[in-house]
Amino acid sequence: MQNSTFIIKEENGIMKSLVLRGDQYGMNWVEGKAGWGSCRMREGMSVSVSRKFLPNGRLYESYLFKNDTDFDIFTKEGDVDICACFNDSYHDAKTCEEERCHTHLFIKGEMSWVMALRMGGEAPHLGMMLKKGSLVSYGVERDLERISNDRGDFFLNVEPLHLHPGETYEVAWELFPHNGKEDFKNILRGYDNYIEVNSDKFIYFEGEEI
């Protein structure tokens, strides 16, 4: 599966590899034990995973959760999640600079986003913006034998749900390349669900004016 922006390998709904065209290092932006796109959910639920390329070259990923039972299902935070395992780990310096990333997650409901930056600072980088659904938090599962050398697999927690029999709930996001923090912010400004907050500083003491 490929277009002018991405080269992707997937198997049974799990994305095994994501490479950005024009990347001289051919970095794979996904890794981890759980597998990108694997989902955990309450008993009686199922999920359909789909991916497609948009006209602007971005990758659209959709996760459609369904209540397969004859009764209502109520979930709480942490009952339904999606694995998005960015390649955030530490090896030798050359590997880190060229083929690993720092993952910055902003998980705030309907305006959740992720900014992944190659550790060496060289573009292209990878971004993600939520398009449908709501994410309330994220968890990390790590291989403790690697101590702090692997940040682990990220699991994005879907908002608490109330699904009637046969009802569905969709979580979808777009993945796109960017050239750094400012370019990433400019891209987010094109999304209707993005709210930007700026301040000279984000820690204030009593009596200071904002």
Side-chain angles (χ1 to χ4, degrees), residues 100-203:
R100 296 295 184 269
C101 69
H102 293 298
T103 311
H104 305 273
L105 300 98
F106 184 83
I107 307 302
K108 295 293 180 182
E110 296 176 354
M111 61 167 292
S112 298
W113 50 258
V114 179
M115 178 177 60
L117 298 167
R118 198 194 307 268
M119 289 185 182
E122 186 175 349
H125 308 287
L126 183 65
M128 185 179 93
M129 183 66 188
L130 191 68
K131 287 289 291 181
K132 292 184 179 179
S134 178
L135 303 172
V136 293
S137 62
Y138 73 92
V140 180
E141 293 191 357
R142 302 173 60 195
D143 180 358
L144 297 180
E145 292 184 357
R146 296 203 62 193
I147 314 176
S148 60
N149 290 321
D150 193 329
R151 207 170 155 195
D153 293 346
F154 302 108
F155 286 88
L156 310 182
N157 294 318
V158 178
E159 69 173 348
L161 303 176
H162 173 199
L163 295 178
H164 300 285
E167 188 177 4
T168 60
Y169 181 89
E170 184 179 13
V171 175
W173 55 62
E174 291 180 8
L175 290 161
F176 51 86
H178 64 91
N179 294 320
K181 294 180 180 179
E182 288 305 313
D183 185 45
F184 176 77
K185 186 183 293 186
N186 286 332
I187 293 172
L188 291 195
R189 289 172 180 147
Y191 288 91
D192 293 337
N193 56 317
Y194 175 63
I195 300 173
E196 184 173 326
V197 178
N198 290 304
S199 177
D200 293 334
K201 57 183 179 179
F202 288 93
I203 297 177

